[in-house]
Amino acid sequence: MCTKYELNRAEILRVSAELFARSGYHGTGIADLGTAVGLGRGALYHYIGSKEEVLFAISSRQLAQMNDVADELALTEPDPERRLRGLARALLRNIAEHRAEWTVFFREYHALTGDRRARVVAARERYESHWRHAFDQGVRDGVFTLLPPLMIKGVLGMFNYSYLWLTADGARTPEEIADGFLDALITGLAAPNP
């Protein structure tokens, strides 16, 4: 059961993500946040600490959830294609359900400084490594051809930038879109039959 503090903080982060996504991190002031959530500056700082702390919380939360999914898949799914499908489906579902947060992450995380930025970058690299490991295993298993390391960023870009257009209630589900992306990719990566 969440405390009143946790519920209020979660609502502040949700509203902040929407404001940052619409007006940008630098274009949104503390007064804007306070007005949007109905709190004065002092009360607002009680929940958020600083504007950069809000950006960090928004930028790291969904990424942490994706790393949790990736960790679980790495432990439970030995087949590299099924693991990639699990990663892709979870990512597009999360992006569809949290577009504001992903918009803030992709557009604004670079405004973080010091340890906060380093932690977000490390989490992003950790997530990327799960995709790399699945592709590498597919190569070792003889089902994929070798994919140069830089291409992983391109593959993830195909999924990540769906935040610009993906919705949870579109004509196709996020999972169907993820499967379509992977079908096209895996057909192109398939190792030739001997």
Side-chain angles (χ1 to χ4, degrees):
M1 181 97 176
C2 292
T3 66
K4 183 177 179 183
Y5 174 88
E6 292 167 330
L7 291 172
N8 288 343
R9 180 172 162 79
E11 178 63 8
I12 290 166
L13 292 175
R14 185 191 67 74
V15 170
S16 296
E18 290 174 4
L19 289 172
F20 291 173
R22 185 172 49 247
S23 302
Y25 172 70
H26 294 294
T28 304
I30 290 296
D32 300 319
L33 294 177
T35 299
V37 296
L39 293 174
R41 185 179 293 263
L44 187 61
Y45 278 121
H46 170 70
Y47 290 104
I48 65 169
S50 71
K51 188 173 144 186
E52 186 176 347
E53 179 58 33
V54 172
L55 178 59
F56 174 71
I58 293 167
S59 296
S60 60
R61 184 167 180 233
Q62 302 312 317
L63 194 53
Q65 288 183 5
M66 291 296 86
N67 270 315
D68 289 346
V69 168
D71 290 343
E72 179 67 22
L73 284 167
L75 292 173
T76 61
E77 183 50 74
D79 180 82
E81 182 178 338
R82 285 198 301 263
R83 191 172 337 133
L84 285 170
R85 287 193 186 279
L87 289 167
R89 289 171 179 163
L91 179 59
L92 286 194
R93 173 55 63 184
N94 191 283
I95 289 172
E97 293 177 353
H98 301 279
R99 279 182 71 189
E101 289 88 345
W102 285 104
T103 298
V104 172
F105 171 75
F106 289 121
R107 292 182 181 168
E108 307 289 352
Y109 87 88
H110 64 276
L112 293 168
T113 60
D115 182 59
R116 289 182 180 126
R117 182 177 179 143
R119 288 167 54 193
V120 166
V121 168
R124 184 192 66 198
E125 289 173 357
R126 182 171 151 237
Y127 182 68
E128 187 177 303
S129 76
H130 281 286
W131 286 74
R132 163 57 55 206
H133 293 316
F135 281 119
D136 287 348
Q137 181 184 344
V139 170
R140 287 191 305 274
D141 292 354
V143 295
F144 299 153
T145 58
L146 186 62
L147 187 66
L150 183 60
M151 292 291 110
I152 294 297
K153 291 186 183 305
V155 168
L156 280 171
M158 179 172 63
F159 289 92
N160 290 341
Y161 285 93
S162 65
Y163 82 90
L164 293 169
W165 52 266
L166 184 64
T167 61
D169 58 354
R172 296 180 68 202
T173 68
E175 292 80 6
E176 289 171 334
I177 295 167
D179 283 343
F181 281 179
L182 276 178
D183 288 344
L185 181 67
I186 289 171
T187 299
L189 284 175
N193 289 326

